[in-house]
Amino acid sequence: MTSAMEAGLATGGLVASVGVGLVFLQAGLAKVRHRELVPGVVANYRLLPDAAVAPFAAALPFVELGLAVALLAGLRVAAPVAAAMLVLFALAMEINIRRGRSHIDCGCGRSQLRQPLSRLLIGRNLVLAALLAPRLLPAPSPTLATLALAAAGGTVLFVLYLLFNGLAALSASPLSASRR
């Protein structure tokens, strides 16, 4: 692999780290803000024993916030953990879709835009997880210019994520269905 390609992958990994870090930050803050709703969202997935729902729901926002901080700080160890969480969330959605339970809210952190489960959301999570893959490769220490580019690119990635979520939620809304 050429050094230009390695530098590009390293920068792409940093962009993803910032973008996905902002996704986890937004999701964790939303869950903290609406912590009384989180146990219900977790229980709706019907994947955990009843006794595990409350502890999982209490810990999840702080795990997401911790991952957000680690990703935004550029800690490489956070990338595989974040990718694994995104894949697990996608798997939980897929299990419920296969059970015929696509009507439940994904719990993605946007309470004002309820999002029923869909394969688009599964794909979104898998793409975000895949974008973190370059963080698993060895890379040189980033320059100040690379860090600035990563911050800008990661912010753009996060805005695209918000746009995708907004459009997905609106397309699933009753108003959208009545216009078809």
Side-chain angles (χ1 to χ4, degrees):
M1 199 177 325
T2 67
S3 63
M5 188 181 292
E6 289 171 347
L9 277 174
T11 301
L14 283 172
V15 167
S17 187
V18 170
V20 175
L22 291 171
V23 168
F24 274 106
L25 180 65
Q26 179 262 328
L29 288 174
K31 286 177 182 77
V32 167
R33 194 174 317 116
H34 302 287
R35 64 186 158 278
E36 69 282 353
L37 301 176
V38 178
V41 172
V42 171
N44 276 344
Y45 275 87
R46 297 182 184 171
L47 295 173
L48 295 174
D50 290 342
V53 168
F56 182 87
L60 182 59
F62 300 102
V63 170
E64 289 179 334
L65 291 172
L67 269 176
V69 170
L71 286 166
L72 292 168
L75 299 179
R76 291 174 113 38
V77 70
V81 176
M85 278 189 67
L86 288 164
V87 170
L88 284 173
F89 292 157
L91 182 61
M93 288 183 219
E94 179 64 27
I95 289 168
N96 275 278
I97 288 171
R98 286 181 186 234
R99 289 177 175 172
R101 298 179 39 73
S102 60
H103 64 281
I104 68 173
D105 184 36
C106 72
C108 301
R110 301 284 302 172
S111 60
Q112 65 273 35
L113 289 174
R114 185 181 177 281
Q115 286 184 270
L117 303 182
S118 73
R119 293 223 159 75
L120 278 175
L121 294 178
I122 292 169
R124 176 207 64 194
N125 278 15
L126 296 176
V127 166
L128 290 173
L131 288 173
L132 290 168
R135 293 297 288 155
L136 303 176
L137 302 172
S141 295
T143 64
L144 189 55
T146 301
L147 291 174
L149 179 62
T155 301
V156 169
L157 178 62
F158 178 64
V159 169
L160 289 172
Y161 166 86
L162 292 176
L163 179 63
F164 175 89
N165 278 355
L167 291 174
L170 290 173
S171 72
S173 76
L175 287 177
S176 175
S178 67
R179 290 188 181 163
R180 292 183 190 153

